Amino acid sequence: MSTAAGQGVFEGDDRQYSPTRLDGWLEFVNGPERVQPEKLSSRGLTALCSGDLLRYDDRRAVWHANIGPIKTPQLLQLHDELAEIVESNRQDGDKAKPAALVDAYPGLGKSTAVREYARDFHRTQIALRGETTPDGHRRVPVIYIALSGNTRIRGLNAAICRFYGLPVRGDADSLAERAKDAVLSLKTAVFVIDDIHFLDASLRATATMANHLKFLANTFPVTLVYIGVGVRERGILTEGLSPEQALHAQFGRRTTALTLRPFQVEDEAGRQEWRRLLLTIERKLVLAHTYPGMLADDLSDYLLARSSGHFASLMALINRGCLRAIRTGHERLDVDLMNHVNNDAAAEEARRELVASLEAGLLTSRPHSRLRHQKSA
């Protein structure tokens, strides 16, 4: 087994960057893929000296914390839908480009999914057009910003400038002009605006912000991709207008709403999808005592109940379980170990109803074909 001296610089390290800054975004886009650590047996673990074991466990911890993204059907569908919008937006600069809104419940991985699409798009644009513009500037096809509570127009414009590393002095208009110059110079084609539900939600502010977003779409030659929770209910798409007036809302007409669904097991297709996800995750776990079916067979219902089918809750639970399995020397995931692992409050709240349905036989995450096979065996 190779020791830390033979590992790449990133292999056992946390990658501390913010994708809301240009340097961090470029690290996200261009950083090397993580390498899955070698899986050692119990004997192999025992043979390591204390220093090598410490470094090996550290590499396993950072690997389990960064598993993914997993190409689930939900993620692939969202990528296809985003591509249809973004990659058809080849209009000249005098025409507004339609926008996309990814509006879904928390914990489904929508931000991760959109960032992955944006990273692929960024890489493709660099491959097509080169790392520099005709004027010699760095090409920046995508920017990514995330909003904070009750963001107003100036705060949104400042976030765009901050991404580029531009000064954030001045009023909203001067910031917008500064950002526009950067967009044109660096040939930015896509704005990803995360947590758009943090825009100021007052009735007057909603209409004002919708008008500002229309201004961005009209004056910046980019595709806007918004990510948020409950955005439609907050009135952004209808510009804060009454139902009768909403028919005339331009923002809603220019924005295509997309979503990301949770895993569900009410039908056989959903159960098969859940099983494929667990099998994929199984293959990525680096524990000495893993075995085929550890998650997909023995923990299928349990993990559904603990995560309520939300991807972020599932991965947090598995990551923490792996850390506990390593620290305790258990080296596998099972119900006894996982019962000591805490998960997010929303998942734990939904757990009771799911457990009751599973125990009563009203619901199962196991495909019927697997159940019949096990009964016959």
Side-chain angles (χ1 to χ4, degrees):
M1 169 191 164
S2 57
T3 61
Q7 302 298 330
V9 64
F10 288 110
E11 187 149 346
D13 295 335
D14 298 343
R15 300 182 187 180
Q16 299 291 349
Y17 59 81
S18 171
T20 63
R21 301 291 187 273
L22 179 56
D23 287 347
W25 177 255
L26 293 176
E27 185 169 344
F28 170 69
V29 169
N30 299 321
E33 299 294 329
R34 290 195 180 275
V35 177
Q36 183 168 343
E38 176 187 0
K39 181 179 174 180
L40 299 181
S41 65
S42 294
R43 180 177 295 182
L45 291 175
T46 303
L48 294 177
C49 70
S50 59
D52 282 349
L53 179 61
L54 184 66
R55 286 184 285 270
Y56 177 65
D57 288 348
D58 185 60
R59 288 197 296 278
R60 290 198 288 171
V62 77
W63 169 259
H64 290 140
N66 292 282
I67 289 175
I70 296 174
K71 304 295 186 183
T72 64
Q74 292 95 322
L75 180 142
L76 294 174
Q77 179 180 344
L78 179 61
H79 282 193
D80 284 344
E81 292 169 341
L82 284 170
E84 185 174 73
I85 296 166
V86 173
E87 294 165 38
S88 67
N89 276 353
R90 304 298 294 272
Q91 299 90 341
D92 293 335
D94 62 310
K95 302 177 181 69
K97 300 178 189 291
L101 164 65
V102 181
D103 191 358
Y105 291 118
L108 297 181
K110 57 186 176 295
S111 295
T112 299
V114 174
R115 281 195 299 269
E116 290 299 319
Y117 170 77
R119 177 168 67 176
D120 291 345
F121 178 83
H122 186 120
R123 290 172 172 174
T124 299
Q125 292 302 303
I126 296 299
L128 279 171
R129 308 181 200 292
E131 294 187 354
T132 57
T133 70
D135 294 330
H137 300 291
R138 175 194 290 276
R139 187 181 299 278
V140 182
V142 177
I143 79 165
Y144 173 83
I145 62 173
L147 306 184
S148 57
N150 286 326
T151 299
R152 299 191 177 184
I153 290 174
R154 187 186 182 283
L156 174 57
N157 293 350
I160 297 170
C161 289
R162 208 170 281 119
F163 176 91
Y164 287 119
L166 301 172
V168 292
R169 300 183 303 272
D171 59 16
D173 290 342
S174 62
L175 290 173
E177 289 304 312
R178 200 171 295 150
K180 188 195 306 181
D181 288 341
V183 168
L184 294 172
S185 297
L186 307 182
K187 302 299 181 184
T188 302
V190 173
F191 277 14
V192 178
I193 304 178
D194 206 345
D195 292 327
I196 194 176
H197 51 274
F198 283 140
L199 293 174
D200 190 337
S202 62
L203 183 61
R204 180 177 178 180
T206 295
T208 302
M209 182 58 72
N211 285 331
H212 183 62
L213 294 175
K214 284 189 292 184
F215 162 77
L216 294 181
N218 286 334
T219 60
F220 287 57
V222 301
T223 299
L224 296 163
V225 178
Y226 309 108
I227 311 170
V229 177
V231 177
R232 283 170 284 192
E233 290 77 5
R234 293 168 68 89
I236 295 291
L237 287 180
T238 56
E239 302 174 30
L241 302 174
S242 67
E244 295 77 16
Q245 295 171 308
L247 291 173
H248 305 289
Q250 292 183 19
F251 185 76
R253 295 286 181 180
R254 293 178 177 179
T255 306
T256 301
L258 309 174
T259 193
L260 197 67
R261 59 179 174 82
F263 286 89
Q264 56 79 31
V265 295
E266 281 76 19
D267 56 35
E268 188 70 1
R271 290 187 285 270
Q272 292 284 0
E273 195 174 82
W274 178 251
R275 177 176 173 77
R276 285 193 295 271
L277 171 65
L278 296 184
L279 287 171
T280 300
I281 297 171
E282 271 182 23
R283 290 191 290 269
K284 295 179 180 293
L285 301 186
V286 187
L287 301 172
H289 298 158
T290 56
Y291 56 90
M294 181 180 73
L295 303 186
D297 291 328
D298 295 347
L299 289 176
S300 180
D301 283 353
Y302 180 89
L303 292 173
L304 177 70
R306 292 292 308 270
S307 68
S308 60
H310 285 65
F311 187 76
S313 299
L314 174 68
M315 296 310 295
L317 184 65
I318 290 174
N319 175 31
R320 294 172 187 176
C322 288
L323 186 66
R324 180 175 288 272
I326 291 169
R327 286 181 169 178
T328 61
H330 198 63
E331 291 291 335
R332 68 177 182 275
L333 304 185
D334 55 33
V335 171
D336 288 341
L337 180 134
M338 298 299 285
N339 278 339
H340 291 89
V341 177
N342 296 316
N343 207 5
D344 63 86
E348 291 301 312
E349 183 65 27
R351 178 182 181 182
R352 302 168 192 166
E353 184 177 347
L354 280 166
V355 167
S357 296
L358 290 163
E359 290 181 346
L362 302 175
L363 186 68
T364 180
S365 66
R366 311 280 295 282
H368 290 161
S369 58
R370 295 292 304 174
L371 292 172
R372 288 193 296 269
H373 173 74
Q374 290 186 341
K375 286 178 182 179
S376 64

